[in-house]
Amino acid sequence: MSKQTFVIAGASLAGAKAAQELREHGFDGRVVLIGAEPERPYERPPLTKDYLRGESEREKVYVHAADYYEQHEIELITGTTVTAIDPDASTVKLDGGRELSYDRLLLTTGSEPRPIPVPGAGLDGIYYMRSLADCDVLRRRLDDSGRVAVVGAGWIGSEFAASARQLGLEVTVIDPLVLPNERIFGAEVGGFYRDVHVEHGVEMLLGQGVEAFEGDGAVALVRTSAGKVVECDFAVVGIGITPRTGLAADAGLAVDAGLAVDNGVVTNERLETSAPGIFAAGDLASAWHPFYEQHIRVEHWANALNQGPAAARAMLGEDVSYDRIPYFFSDQYDVGMEYSGYAASWDEVVFRGEREGGEFIAFWLSDGRVVGGMNVNVWDVNQHVQDLIRSRRPVDVAALTDPDTPLDSLVAEPTA
Ligand SMILES: Cc1cc2nc3c(=O)[nH]c(=O)nc-3n(C[C@H](O)[C@H](O)[C@H](O)COP(=O)(O)OP(=O)(O)OC[C@H]3O[C@@H](n4cnc5c(N)ncnc54)[C@H](O)[C@@H]3O)c2cc1C
């Protein structure tokens, strides 16, 4: 019998980890990993942190050593885009006209920055931050000191602002929300992050959007909706991302889960799309989540890291039910944090530890149960936070907020 071919479209973190899992689970057929970028798979978090600041080597961003793919007989094809899928014929087309047959296909095409739709957005000196190539350009800009306008106080904008400030640039952050990430985390945690930036000398222009970029060929100023004029040498825009669903949608695969427009490629809990034999993982996938009993799309590193391998096991016919609690981390200046949960709404946010001291755990509560938790400069507690969420047990707020009560004691079954 001829060996099977598993194709992975998107040489990303999720794609590379899926290829690794296939080999580690004994798959001895062809594994073809195709990526549009010229690079072998790499991780993006360092691109707003140590790598951007020139504090870590390029080699450290890659998912695997350069010879890994050859050693494991993974056919890595870089600089090549998958342009079409034919689910009936089980083939994919690559740019340049090549066609490949597959027995199973995994889509890990990720997401791309949302462009900002304002006058002057096409001027030189306005950058987005997604790829290693974007980062290399920005690294050079950060060498020149000067003044940068950061549009968007989400995680990408905030981390870029922190790194630029650490390198001594003058930084202005502009965001229509009154507080950073206010919609996701509420006023208390949003206020904490605003203050962190202000304390480090960032000018925070909040509650105002960008009306226009202006300049003669290259951006020289940003005009805000509150009438402020921000002079700058360059600008970085981080106003969110859009999943790259085009390839799947063109092939007739279900996208959107009925939740919102363009909300990802719909999969079941084993990460299989509406087309049998085609799977999706990472930023792209709107996957049925058995714990939350809804489709969710998670735009974080840990999701790509874990969902890729889960999809690989599903491709091999193993029993898979991807039910990890969403998790992400962020580092800004000397403030490191981890967040777990998926909380669209909550009743209150309570704190263990002092926000002023910069070491605390914030808990989002709904109906007296923990639905999200963020540990800031407090470590080795995230698993307990996840256990609390998963337990769905009402918590005693006094004990939850008391630093002397071990968190794991709140997770344990109450004694009869
Ligand atoms: C600068 C930056 C910093 C981040 N920091 C953090 C952090 O601190 N913490 C955290 O939790 N998360 C962070 N994230 C988010 C995290 O990196 C992403 O969730 C993760 O990269 C998603 O991985 P993915 O495998 O889904 O796909 P992606 O990383 O989006 O990669 C998809 C790849 O597929 C390729 N591709 C697309 N279409 C095709 C096609 N048709 N054919 C072939 N190839 C194609 C693309 O070129 C790309 O290389 C950060 C993201 C960025 C951009």
Side-chain angles (χ1 to χ4, degrees), residues 29-69:
R30 271 183 87 190
V31 178
V32 188
L33 176 58
I34 305 159
E37 294 185 56
E39 303 287 342
R40 71 181 193 270
Y42 60 89
E43 309 207 10
R44 297 181 197 274
L47 308 188
T48 38
K49 307 181 185 72
D50 46 344
Y51 180 74
L52 175 69
R53 294 193 299 270
E55 293 167 8
S56 65
E57 293 160 25
R58 191 182 189 82
E59 202 48 35
K60 284 185 75 179
V61 306
Y62 294 106
V63 180
H64 295 111
D67 56 2
Y68 175 86
Y69 301 96

Side-chain angles (χ1 to χ4, degrees), residues 299-347:
E299 302 171 345
H300 301 312
W301 170 87
N303 183 62
L305 182 78
N306 295 309
Q307 231 178 32
R313 294 191 296 277
M315 291 163 86
L316 292 169
E318 291 179 28
D319 237 357
V320 168
S321 173
Y322 188 84
D323 71 346
R324 282 182 183 254
I325 303 286
Y327 162 93
F328 74 97
F329 63 95
S330 174
D331 296 316
Q332 295 168 42
Y333 314 100
D334 52 357
V335 180
M337 77 85 175
E338 298 173 292
Y339 173 88
S340 284
Y342 186 77
S345 62
W346 59 87
D347 306 323

Side-chain angles (χ1 to χ4, degrees), residues 92-413:
V92 290
K93 275 208 177 82
L94 313 187
D95 56 2
R98 203 171 144 196
E99 204 170 273
L100 266 177
S101 295
Y102 62 81
D103 295 284
R104 299 274 183 282
L105 173 65
L106 173 61
L107 303 177
T108 49
T109 51
S111 52
E112 60 199 2
R114 201 176 298 148
I116 186 162
V118 299
L123 286 168
D124 286 345
I126 299 173
Y127 302 97
Y128 293 84
M129 172 58 100
R130 184 76 198 169
S131 66
L132 199 45
D134 297 336
C135 183
D136 286 335
V137 171
L138 282 164
R139 266 179 81 148
R140 288 193 286 277
R141 296 267 5 190
L142 290 177
D143 286 342
D144 297 340
S145 69
R147 172 150 205 170
V148 57
V150 177
V151 180
W155 297 112
I156 298 287
S158 292
E159 288 194 353
F160 182 86
S163 286
R165 205 51 215 123
Q166 282 169 278
L167 292 172
L169 277 81
E170 286 179 62
V171 181
T172 301
V173 172
I174 305 161
D175 195 297
L177 295 181
V178 174
L179 292 167
N181 288 309
E182 189 192 5
R183 242 179 251 138
I184 315 169
F185 299 114
E188 295 91 340
V189 170
F192 169 78
Y193 273 100
R194 175 205 51 206
D195 295 347
V196 166
H197 285 285
V198 170
E199 279 158 21
H200 284 86
V202 174
E203 182 184 26
M204 298 294 279
L205 297 183
L206 301 171
Q208 50 199 297
V210 169
E211 288 264 296
F213 296 100
E214 292 176 20
D216 184 12
V219 66
L221 63 87
V222 185
R223 219 173 266 288
T224 79
S225 55
K228 276 279 228 179
V229 171
V230 179
E231 290 181 10
C232 61
D233 300 306
F234 65 105
V236 174
V237 178
I239 58 165
I241 55 174
T242 314
R244 289 196 189 91
T245 52
L247 190 61
D250 291 349
L253 274 57
V255 291
D256 167 25
L259 297 172
V261 175
D262 200 18
N263 199 37
V265 173
V266 180
T267 79
N268 57 22
E269 67 187 61
R270 51 191 310 271
L271 305 170
E272 191 162 21
T273 69
S274 60
I278 305 182
F279 298 76
D283 276 16
L284 177 73
S286 176
W288 180 259
H289 199 290
F291 180 76
Y292 292 108
E293 297 186 327
Q294 66 182 92
H295 285 93
I296 65 173
R297 194 174 70 73
V298 179
E299 302 171 345
H300 301 312
W301 170 87
N303 183 62
L305 182 78
N306 295 309
Q307 231 178 32
R313 294 191 296 277
M315 291 163 86
L316 292 169
E318 291 179 28
D319 237 357
V320 168
S321 173
Y322 188 84
D323 71 346
R324 282 182 183 254
I325 303 286
Y327 162 93
F328 74 97
F329 63 95
S330 174
D331 296 316
Q332 295 168 42
Y333 314 100
D334 52 357
V335 180
M337 77 85 175
E338 298 173 292
Y339 173 88
S340 284
Y342 186 77
S345 62
W346 59 87
D347 306 323
E348 59 175 326
V349 186
V350 298
F351 291 86
R352 168 182 283 235
E354 296 300 322
R355 265 171 290 171
E356 298 72 35
E359 286 180 20
F360 61 88
I361 311 175
F363 296 97
W364 283 257
L365 302 181
S366 179
D367 266 344
R369 295 164 169 83
V370 176
V371 292
M374 178 187 286
N375 45 298
V376 176
N377 284 349
V378 175
W379 305 108
D380 302 324
V381 292
N382 202 261
Q383 189 54 51
H384 300 321
V385 172
Q386 297 206 8
D387 292 343
L388 275 170
I389 294 170
R390 209 175 271 286
S391 78
R392 289 202 171 107
R393 186 169 302 135
V395 285
D396 173 357
V397 174
L400 186 67
T401 53
D402 171 15
D404 294 329
T405 305
L407 272 187
D408 50 355
S409 71
L410 302 175
V411 180
E413 290 286 344

